Amino acid sequence: MTPLQDRTLFRFFRDVLRHSVTGSLRYHLWMGSLTFLMALGTYAYLIQLNKGLGVTGMSDYVSWGLYISNFTFLVGIAAASVMLVLPAYILHDVDFSKAVLIGEGLAVTALLMCLAFVTVDMGGPHRLWHMIPKIGYFNWPQSMLTWDVIVLNGYLALNLLIPFYILFSHYRGRSPKKALYVPFIMFSVFWAVSIHLATAFLYAGLPSRPYWNNALLGPRFLASAFAGGPALMILILHFIKQNTDFPIAEETIRKLALIVTVAAQINLVMLGSELFKEFYAPTHHSQSATYLFFGLKGHKPLVPIIWTAILLNVFATLLFTFHRTRNNKPILLVSCTLLFAAIYLEKGMGLVVPGFIPSPLGEIVDYFPTWIEIAVTIGIWALGFFVFTLLVKAAIAIEKEYETHHRSEPH
Amino acid sequence: MSRTKAFLFGQTAEHQPPEEYTYPLLPPPQSTQAASASPSSTSACAAPSSCGCQPPKPTAVDTPYKALLKADLQEAEPADGISRREMLQHLLIGVAATAAVASGCSENLEKGSLNWEEYFKKNYRVMTAQERTDTVQRLERLAQMRNEKKPSIQTKNAIPGVLYGYAFNISKCKGYMDCVEACIKENNLDRKSGMQYIRMFEIEKGKFNVNLDHADGTYHHEVPAAGHVYMGTQCFQCENPPCVAVCPVGATWKEDDGIVVIDYDWCIGCRYCQSACPYWARRFNWHEPVVPNTEVNPIQHYLGNRKRKKGVMEKCTFCIQRSRDGKLPACAEACPTGARVFGNLLDPNSEIRYVLANKKVFRLKEDLGTEPKFWYFMD
Ligand code: SF4
């Protein structure tokens, strides 16, 4: 251990690196398999770079697919970390004081994955510098995509900065100054909402695609994010609690479960409202929803996916709603998994792909991802797990050391 | 007259050559133009619902871009005469040149430095006239080095007082697709993926609706089929184009003559514009496009039919390389039935203005407010 007085920024990163390369055999096996999957993804991506996006299942008809679906879903996961930040820093709920670092780590990870998914979807990733203001041509404020670039990068910066400041202070055995970081936290709470709204507006701002051009899209994005994100968080916190001696309060998990419950219920209400609008008096604009839920002119590849998602969603929400099932830990873990899967299916493939079908000229062309797309997607998810493991491992090590040496009240 | 879709079956089309159309594409003399356009903006465009066209602005030939993008130009060229981008560019060219010298091959040296300069060039909209000339020279030289047919790439600006419009006569079209074939050849469209800017739809009589619900865009039989009508779509060059607004890097914009263009070297291939287009008018290069050297049309425009690469968007430009030269777009010229009418909306004597004033015209998805400059009508 580096003595406290010698702890500089350089030593901080060196120690973090040391934490990440040392660990149990199980840890090395885990990181090794993730590295293998990342290598597989890289291989697939190189093929795509070389041959063009034609190696994916996308076409002029369905021009966004698995990549942008994952991107959209992950923006929600990133935004959901606010559900830990808000109680921990602003409502001063001590139960959240430890978990919040994990939440911020999750946000950083999700954002990195978002950026990776957008980049692999680009036809000319090496021309991305065209987006840099002044040097390139940043079409702000007209293009919603530029708004999304700003809010995502801003949110990434905030979520790197705040935990870094807190961890670095703890690393040096000091308690972080509230006046320095609380304003940024306030900011990040609003920012979290904006990243998901901006992403929803990306779609909702297109009158050419009636399926997306819908005022409920933004709120629904938020509701599903605040259900799916904390559900994933519960699973992660449970895992950390089981496998480390990092003090995660049982109360944190209970409160998170309550947040998930409310968000999942609101999400279902909105789903009902959407279904009513599309199917009570179907118009020409309901064709995408028809394609998704029932199939159109014999094309029904998404029908099993969406019904699986809806059944899982309703079932999980019921399990959350009843106190008996919510307060039973094994059942809670199952319902979190089901809900997470449901939202991934519904918001990923269920949102992006049907928006393109039928095409604006009424043609129906299905979309099926190719192995290249799937391999790249798996690679990026492996990257996410990899980064998240590193971040959490280092954070836990620093926090534990701080706790043992300074038994003061939590920052 | 009944013929198969000749080009699809690899035969030569054997119809009478298109008549010599003589629509006035160039603006009327200044005096009449001012007289006809200034009284009110509605008289400048006789569309049934206002298409939002502006009366011609009295700008000099060379200035519209500057007026449009004053701010950008100022940003791009600071007072001290050398921008950050240029500094970076020179630095990198230096590095590339050093590397190439080390490899000791002058051809590679030239190619490397040309490619570097191409990589760091600006968005076409904010280029100075000199920068435009330079990039054209580089592109032509690079084509030569690849042993391709030497292109002649124009950078002709919009002609003041011209706003292009198109009308399509559903009663006349017989679905021959000569327009599609001419478009492919004229615009150097990718032969490998079979890219088409123009889509032709066959619709059973009595089932016609503007949503194209019963339209068949993949018909493959002898035309005209009894009891059917035909209808073509392409980019409608909206006055209020949603694709332009969404582009994050400003790689696509509407020119002063109303043509929506793409800077193929600036596009990052995000495909947001493709999602935003309500008319399915944009095409993406999913693979490296292929045009056999012998079939390349060397008369090109920077914003039109020049060589594209994989990963960028492209679209119909009303054949900008032809229309700005006072010619008809290839589709209008190739049509054997006279179903396609093209001309200057600001010229009250043009045929397009005659159609708009005297036929019952309609446009697709008028409710979206995109104001397409492409009308359909029936006799
Ligand atoms: S694909 Fe190209 S032209 Fe279209 S929005 Fe993206 S960068 Fe702009």
Side-chain angles (χ1 to χ4, degrees):
Chain A
M1 268 294 147
T2 322
L4 271 186
Q5 62 278 10
D6 293 348
R7 296 190 167 187
T8 57
L9 195 60
F10 173 72
R11 295 250 161 96
F12 174 77
F13 284 114
R14 203 194 54 189
D15 280 354
V16 165
L17 194 67
R18 194 169 42 76
H19 286 308
S20 53
V21 294
T22 52
S24 62
L25 178 65
R26 206 156 69 110
Y27 170 75
H28 284 297
L29 278 178
W30 165 244
M31 296 305 260
S33 353
L34 291 178
T35 311
F36 172 75
L37 291 178
M38 285 192 282
L40 185 76
T42 311
Y43 171 67
Y45 182 58
L46 286 177
I47 296 178
Q48 181 191 303
L49 264 188
N50 191 23
K51 296 242 169 89
L53 279 159
V55 298
T56 69
M58 295 183 276
S59 64
D60 283 336
Y61 294 93
V62 181
S63 49
W64 286 336
L66 201 55
Y67 298 152
I68 297 297
S69 301
N70 275 281
F71 159 77
T72 310
F73 173 77
L74 285 163
V75 173
I77 298 295
S81 78
V82 76
M83 282 299 158
L84 292 161
V85 171
L86 193 68
Y89 295 118
I90 298 192
L91 308 177
H92 302 294
D93 190 327
V94 283
D95 295 334
F96 281 81
S97 59
K98 289 294 157 218
V100 68
L101 280 171
I102 316 283
E104 283 156 339
L106 186 62
V108 168
T109 311
L111 285 167
L112 285 178
M113 291 168 75
C114 285
L115 296 178
F117 273 116
V118 171
T119 308
V120 298
D121 190 64
M122 292 285 152
H126 55 294
R127 286 190 295 276
L128 270 173
W129 67 267
H130 291 176
M131 243 198 219
I132 304 171
K134 306 276 178 201
I135 299 174
Y137 190 113
F138 196 56
N139 190 17
W140 185 85
Q142 283 82 12
S143 170
M144 280 315 298
L145 205 52
T146 57
W147 283 87
D148 220 29
V149 167
I150 294 174
V151 292
L152 288 179
N153 284 301
Y155 195 62
L156 179 61
L158 281 174
N159 274 286
L160 281 172
L161 217 70
I162 298 168
F164 167 75
Y165 173 67
I166 291 172
L167 283 176
F168 188 53
S169 304
H170 286 179
Y171 174 74
R172 298 173 62 181
R174 300 182 187 163
S175 82
K177 290 196 189 60
K178 276 218 168 98
L180 271 181
Y181 71 85
V182 168
F184 286 99
I185 284 171
M186 299 278 193
F187 203 43
S188 86
V189 169
F190 290 106
W191 208 280
V193 176
S194 79
I195 64 166
H196 216 23
L197 274 186
T199 308
F201 291 169
L202 208 82
Y203 298 99
L206 302 177
S208 54
R209 310 282 171 175
Y211 181 65
W212 298 332
N213 187 217
N214 153 2
L216 197 55
L217 203 72
R220 180 122 194 267
F221 265 35
L222 288 176
S224 62
F226 294 156
L232 176 62
M233 210 53 230
I234 292 177
L235 295 173
I236 291 169
L237 291 181
H238 176 78
F239 180 84
I240 291 174
K241 208 166 140 64
Q242 294 285 299
N243 290 279
T244 69
D245 46 6
F246 192 59
I248 302 281
E250 195 56 43
E251 202 46 31
T252 315
I253 293 187
R254 265 175 37 78
K255 284 179 182 167
L256 273 179
L258 210 60
I259 292 174
V260 176
T261 310
V262 176
Q265 288 167 343
I266 295 177
N267 186 34
L268 277 190
V269 172
M270 292 189 189
L271 172 68
S273 166
E274 230 165 38
L275 290 177
F276 174 80
K277 183 244 165 194
E278 299 284 18
F279 297 119
Y280 178 70
T283 67
H284 191 260
H285 286 177
S286 310
Q287 283 191 333
S288 296
T290 310
Y291 173 80
L292 175 63
F293 285 96
F294 306 109
L296 205 59
K297 297 186 181 159
H299 294 258
K300 43 180 81 174
L302 294 178
V303 175
I305 295 182
I306 195 66
W307 286 110
T308 311
I310 298 232
L311 287 179
L312 292 179
N313 200 337
V314 171
F315 183 58
T317 308
L318 281 177
L319 289 179
F320 271 106
T321 305
F322 295 110
H323 295 287
R324 286 268 297 283
T325 39
R326 186 176 66 242
N327 293 334
N328 178 317
K329 198 60 175 295
I331 296 186
L332 178 70
L333 295 178
V334 171
S335 35
C336 283
T337 316
L338 296 185
L339 191 66
F340 181 80
I343 291 174
Y344 179 71
L345 290 177
E346 190 211 309
K347 221 167 147 189
M349 298 288 276
L351 174 94
V352 175
V353 176
F356 290 104
I357 304 167
S359 84
L361 298 180
E363 292 171 285
I364 302 171
V365 175
D366 296 320
Y367 161 78
F368 301 98
T370 59
W371 78 264
I372 296 215
E373 263 169 302
I374 294 172
V376 171
T377 303
I378 291 175
I380 295 178
W381 275 91
L383 170 81
F385 279 115
F386 192 91
V387 170
F388 185 67
T389 311
L390 289 185
L391 290 177
V392 167
K393 191 161 183 287
I396 288 179
I398 292 169
E399 282 297 297
K400 255 168 47 189
E401 201 216 331
Y402 180 69
E403 280 294 304
T404 41
H405 289 98
H406 311 263
R407 286 228 161 266
S408 56
E409 28 111 36
H411 45 274
Chain B
M1 187 167 79
S2 164
R3 290 187 302 111
T4 51
K5 293 190 289 175
F7 78 94
L8 288 179
F9 299 115
Q11 299 155 4
T12 347
E14 27 82 275
H15 57 77
Q16 64 273 49
E19 299 166 36
E20 209 39 63
Y21 295 101
T22 47
Y23 310 134
L25 288 175
L26 293 172
Q30 282 298 324
S31 52
T32 50
Q33 175 196 331
S36 70
S38 50
S40 78
S41 60
T42 41
S43 77
C45 172
S49 71
S50 155
C51 77
C53 1
Q54 302 289 315
K57 283 169 237 133
T59 36
V61 182
D62 263 330
T63 49
Y65 291 101
K66 286 189 182 145
L68 197 67
L69 288 148
K70 223 170 180 174
D72 293 300
L73 286 168
Q74 279 162 355
E75 271 169 25
E77 290 163 50
D80 59 11
I82 183 155
S83 70
R84 262 167 294 177
R85 181 217 307 276
E86 278 162 338
M87 263 155 63
L88 187 64
Q89 183 180 325
H90 291 316
L91 194 75
L92 286 164
I93 291 168
V95 173
T98 321
V101 167
S103 75
C105 173
S106 73
E107 178 96 346
N108 279 349
L109 171 83
E110 188 190 351
K111 206 169 186 169
S113 95
L114 286 178
N115 278 328
W116 270 114
E117 288 183 56
E118 274 299 291
Y119 180 72
F120 284 104
K121 73 183 176 185
K122 294 181 195 163
N123 185 323
Y124 181 78
R125 274 199 278 185
V126 298
M127 282 184 196
T128 61
Q130 184 57 45
E131 285 166 333
R132 289 181 182 180
T133 315
D134 291 347
T135 179
V136 163
Q137 275 171 2
R138 286 194 297 266
L139 289 170
E140 291 177 351
R141 174 80 183 118
L142 281 167
Q144 202 183 12
M145 290 172 112
R146 286 189 303 261
N147 295 322
E148 285 168 9
K149 194 191 274 178
K150 188 169 184 289
S152 143
I153 303 174
Q154 318 158 15
T155 53
K156 204 177 249 178
N157 282 345
I159 307 160
V162 174
L163 186 69
Y164 295 111
Y166 211 120
F168 185 96
N169 189 340
I170 300 175
S171 317
K172 280 194 175 159
C173 178
K174 298 275 180 282
Y176 298 144
M177 293 216 201
D178 289 353
C179 50
V180 177
E181 183 188 12
C183 172
I184 291 173
K185 288 182 177 161
E186 168 65 33
N187 289 301
N188 296 321
L189 296 194
D190 176 27
R191 307 294 204 272
K192 200 172 152 208
S193 67
M195 187 186 286
Q196 292 177 206
Y197 291 163
I198 303 176
R199 293 297 312 278
M200 265 297 160
F201 291 92
E202 183 180 76
I203 308 165
E204 215 181 306
K205 276 185 185 154
K207 286 197 170 173
F208 180 85
N209 74 12
V210 286
N211 294 327
L212 302 178
D213 278 332
H214 308 285
D216 176 6
T218 57
Y219 68 91
H220 197 73
H221 50 72
E222 197 162 288
V223 291
H228 287 79
V229 292
Y230 297 86
M231 185 170 161
T233 67
Q234 59 201 66
C235 175
F236 297 160
Q237 321 291 353
C238 304
E239 267 302 279
N240 183 13
C243 53
V244 166
V246 300
C247 178
V249 293
T252 182
W253 64 91
K254 193 182 73 185
E255 291 272 281
D256 282 355
D257 48 9
I259 300 178
V260 176
V261 294
I262 300 174
D263 181 344
Y264 310 119
D265 293 331
W266 196 256
C267 169
I268 55 172
C270 67
R271 311 188 295 293
Y272 197 15
C273 53
Q274 208 168 26
S275 301
C277 175
Y279 304 110
W280 205 73
R282 295 187 153 241
R283 302 289 179 272
F284 188 68
N285 285 287
W286 299 94
H287 293 285
E288 192 69 48
V290 180
V291 183
N293 212 1
T294 50
E295 292 177 31
V296 170
N297 171 11
I299 312 295
Q300 302 175 1
H301 192 287
Y302 193 92
L303 301 172
N305 56 345
R306 76 183 167 101
K307 188 179 166 62
R308 276 81 73 186
K309 50 197 164 208
K310 72 166 186 279
V312 303
M313 200 56 76
E314 60 175 286
K315 67 185 279 298
C316 155
T317 60
F318 279 173
C319 289
I320 198 165
Q321 65 281 356
R322 296 173 58 92
S323 45
R324 285 194 180 166
D325 255 355
K327 295 187 204 138
L328 287 173
C331 50
E333 191 172 277
C335 177
T337 65
R340 292 174 169 267
V341 177
F342 177 80
N344 180 5
L345 291 169
L346 302 182
D347 173 6
N349 301 317
S350 61
E351 189 182 353
I352 180 91
R353 285 286 295 274
Y354 177 84
V355 169
L356 294 181
N358 296 289
K359 302 285 181 180
K360 292 178 180 60
V361 298
F362 69 92
R363 296 179 290 180
L364 293 188
K365 306 192 191 193
E366 297 212 31
D367 50 331
L368 297 183
T370 52
E371 304 292 352
K373 293 191 291 289
F374 194 103
W375 288 264
Y376 293 95
F377 67 103
M378 296 173 218
D379 283 330

PDB file of all heavy atoms in Angstrom, chain A residues 294-305:
ATOM      1  N   PHE A 294     -49.005  -8.282 -34.496  1.00  0.00           N
ATOM      2  CA  PHE A 294     -49.785  -9.342 -35.151  1.00  0.00           C
ATOM      3  C   PHE A 294     -49.220  -9.769 -36.493  1.00  0.00           C
ATOM      4  O   PHE A 294     -49.668 -10.745 -37.078  1.00  0.00           O
ATOM      5  CB  PHE A 294     -51.229  -8.881 -35.343  1.00  0.00           C
ATOM      6  CG  PHE A 294     -51.875  -8.415 -34.070  1.00  0.00           C
ATOM      7  CD1 PHE A 294     -52.148  -7.073 -33.863  1.00  0.00           C
ATOM      8  CD2 PHE A 294     -52.169  -9.327 -33.056  1.00  0.00           C
ATOM      9  CE1 PHE A 294     -52.717  -6.644 -32.671  1.00  0.00           C
ATOM     10  CE2 PHE A 294     -52.733  -8.907 -31.866  1.00  0.00           C
ATOM     11  CZ  PHE A 294     -53.011  -7.564 -31.670  1.00  0.00           C
ATOM     12  N   GLY A 295     -48.268  -9.005 -37.018  1.00  0.00           N
ATOM     13  CA  GLY A 295     -47.755  -9.325 -38.345  1.00  0.00           C
ATOM     14  C   GLY A 295     -48.551  -8.608 -39.409  1.00  0.00           C
ATOM     15  O   GLY A 295     -49.722  -8.273 -39.210  1.00  0.00           O
ATOM     16  N   LEU A 296     -47.903  -8.355 -40.539  1.00  0.00           N
ATOM     17  CA  LEU A 296     -48.542  -7.609 -41.622  1.00  0.00           C
ATOM     18  C   LEU A 296     -48.318  -8.381 -42.916  1.00  0.00           C
ATOM     19  O   LEU A 296     -47.189  -8.699 -43.265  1.00  0.00           O
ATOM     20  CB  LEU A 296     -47.891  -6.216 -41.699  1.00  0.00           C
ATOM     21  CG  LEU A 296     -48.659  -5.055 -42.296  1.00  0.00           C
ATOM     22  CD1 LEU A 296     -49.956  -4.809 -41.549  1.00  0.00           C
ATOM     23  CD2 LEU A 296     -47.801  -3.801 -42.292  1.00  0.00           C
ATOM     24  N   LYS A 297     -49.398  -8.679 -43.611  1.00  0.00           N
ATOM     25  CA  LYS A 297     -49.332  -9.382 -44.895  1.00  0.00           C
ATOM     26  C   LYS A 297     -48.402 -10.607 -44.817  1.00  0.00           C
ATOM     27  O   LYS A 297     -47.525 -10.810 -45.667  1.00  0.00           O
ATOM     28  CB  LYS A 297     -48.862  -8.437 -45.998  1.00  0.00           C
ATOM     29  CG  LYS A 297     -49.843  -7.292 -46.224  1.00  0.00           C
ATOM     30  CD  LYS A 297     -49.462  -6.437 -47.404  1.00  0.00           C
ATOM     31  CE  LYS A 297     -50.456  -5.291 -47.578  1.00  0.00           C
ATOM     32  NZ  LYS A 297     -49.956  -4.161 -48.340  1.00  0.00           N
ATOM     33  N   GLY A 298     -48.555 -11.370 -43.756  1.00  0.00           N
ATOM     34  CA  GLY A 298     -47.775 -12.595 -43.636  1.00  0.00           C
ATOM     35  C   GLY A 298     -46.368 -12.415 -43.079  1.00  0.00           C
ATOM     36  O   GLY A 298     -45.666 -13.386 -42.851  1.00  0.00           O
ATOM     37  N   HIS A 299     -45.957 -11.178 -42.850  1.00  0.00           N
ATOM     38  CA  HIS A 299     -44.638 -10.943 -42.246  1.00  0.00           C
ATOM     39  C   HIS A 299     -44.804 -10.796 -40.741  1.00  0.00           C
ATOM     40  O   HIS A 299     -45.416  -9.834 -40.289  1.00  0.00           O
ATOM     41  CB  HIS A 299     -44.001  -9.656 -42.796  1.00  0.00           C
ATOM     42  CG  HIS A 299     -43.668  -9.719 -44.246  1.00  0.00           C
ATOM     43  ND1 HIS A 299     -42.398  -9.929 -44.711  1.00  0.00           N
ATOM     44  CD2 HIS A 299     -44.456  -9.604 -45.338  1.00  0.00           C
ATOM     45  CE1 HIS A 299     -42.410  -9.928 -46.028  1.00  0.00           C
ATOM     46  NE2 HIS A 299     -43.645  -9.738 -46.440  1.00  0.00           N
ATOM     47  N   LYS A 300     -44.281 -11.748 -39.967  1.00  0.00           N
ATOM     48  CA  LYS A 300     -44.465 -11.625 -38.527  1.00  0.00           C
ATOM     49  C   LYS A 300     -43.252 -12.034 -37.700  1.00  0.00           C
ATOM     50  O   LYS A 300     -43.391 -12.680 -36.679  1.00  0.00           O
ATOM     51  CB  LYS A 300     -45.703 -12.425 -38.092  1.00  0.00           C
ATOM     52  CG  LYS A 300     -45.838 -13.803 -38.730  1.00  0.00           C
ATOM     53  CD  LYS A 300     -47.077 -14.511 -38.241  1.00  0.00           C
ATOM     54  CE  LYS A 300     -48.301 -14.028 -38.985  1.00  0.00           C
ATOM     55  NZ  LYS A 300     -49.525 -14.763 -38.671  1.00  0.00           N
ATOM     56  N   PRO A 301     -42.037 -11.609 -38.099  1.00  0.00           N
ATOM     57  CA  PRO A 301     -40.864 -12.065 -37.336  1.00  0.00           C
ATOM     58  C   PRO A 301     -40.796 -11.502 -35.917  1.00  0.00           C
ATOM     59  O   PRO A 301     -40.180 -12.112 -35.047  1.00  0.00           O
ATOM     60  CB  PRO A 301     -39.677 -11.560 -38.162  1.00  0.00           C
ATOM     61  CG  PRO A 301     -40.214 -10.439 -38.953  1.00  0.00           C
ATOM     62  CD  PRO A 301     -41.640 -10.777 -39.242  1.00  0.00           C
ATOM     63  N   LEU A 302     -41.398 -10.332 -35.670  1.00  0.00           N
ATOM     64  CA  LEU A 302     -41.254  -9.738 -34.345  1.00  0.00           C
ATOM     65  C   LEU A 302     -42.364 -10.153 -33.395  1.00  0.00           C
ATOM     66  O   LEU A 302     -42.306  -9.866 -32.209  1.00  0.00           O
ATOM     67  CB  LEU A 302     -41.227  -8.211 -34.456  1.00  0.00           C
ATOM     68  CG  LEU A 302     -40.031  -7.602 -35.184  1.00  0.00           C
ATOM     69  CD1 LEU A 302     -40.149  -6.092 -35.260  1.00  0.00           C
ATOM     70  CD2 LEU A 302     -38.732  -7.973 -34.474  1.00  0.00           C
ATOM     71  N   VAL A 303     -43.400 -10.821 -33.931  1.00  0.00           N
ATOM     72  CA  VAL A 303     -44.551 -11.156 -33.092  1.00  0.00           C
ATOM     73  C   VAL A 303     -44.164 -11.980 -31.858  1.00  0.00           C
ATOM     74  O   VAL A 303     -44.509 -11.607 -30.739  1.00  0.00           O
ATOM     75  CB  VAL A 303     -45.643 -11.846 -33.940  1.00  0.00           C
ATOM     76  CG1 VAL A 303     -46.779 -12.318 -33.070  1.00  0.00           C
ATOM     77  CG2 VAL A 303     -46.153 -10.886 -35.013  1.00  0.00           C
ATOM     78  N   PRO A 304     -43.403 -13.087 -32.024  1.00  0.00           N
ATOM     79  CA  PRO A 304     -43.047 -13.845 -30.807  1.00  0.00           C
ATOM     80  C   PRO A 304     -42.213 -13.017 -29.837  1.00  0.00           C
ATOM     81  O   PRO A 304     -42.392 -13.121 -28.618  1.00  0.00           O
ATOM     82  CB  PRO A 304     -42.242 -15.031 -31.348  1.00  0.00           C
ATOM     83  CG  PRO A 304     -41.957 -14.754 -32.773  1.00  0.00           C
ATOM     84  CD  PRO A 304     -42.946 -13.747 -33.257  1.00  0.00           C
ATOM     85  N   ILE A 305     -41.332 -12.164 -30.364  1.00  0.00           N
ATOM     86  CA  ILE A 305     -40.467 -11.375 -29.485  1.00  0.00           C
ATOM     87  C   ILE A 305     -41.299 -10.426 -28.633  1.00  0.00           C
ATOM     88  O   ILE A 305     -41.155 -10.368 -27.407  1.00  0.00           O
ATOM     89  CB  ILE A 305     -39.441 -10.577 -30.315  1.00  0.00           C
ATOM     90  CG1 ILE A 305     -38.491 -11.540 -31.024  1.00  0.00           C
ATOM     91  CG2 ILE A 305     -38.673  -9.593 -29.448  1.00  0.00           C
ATOM     92  CD1 ILE A 305     -37.414 -10.878 -31.828  1.00  0.00           C
TER      93      ILE A 305
END
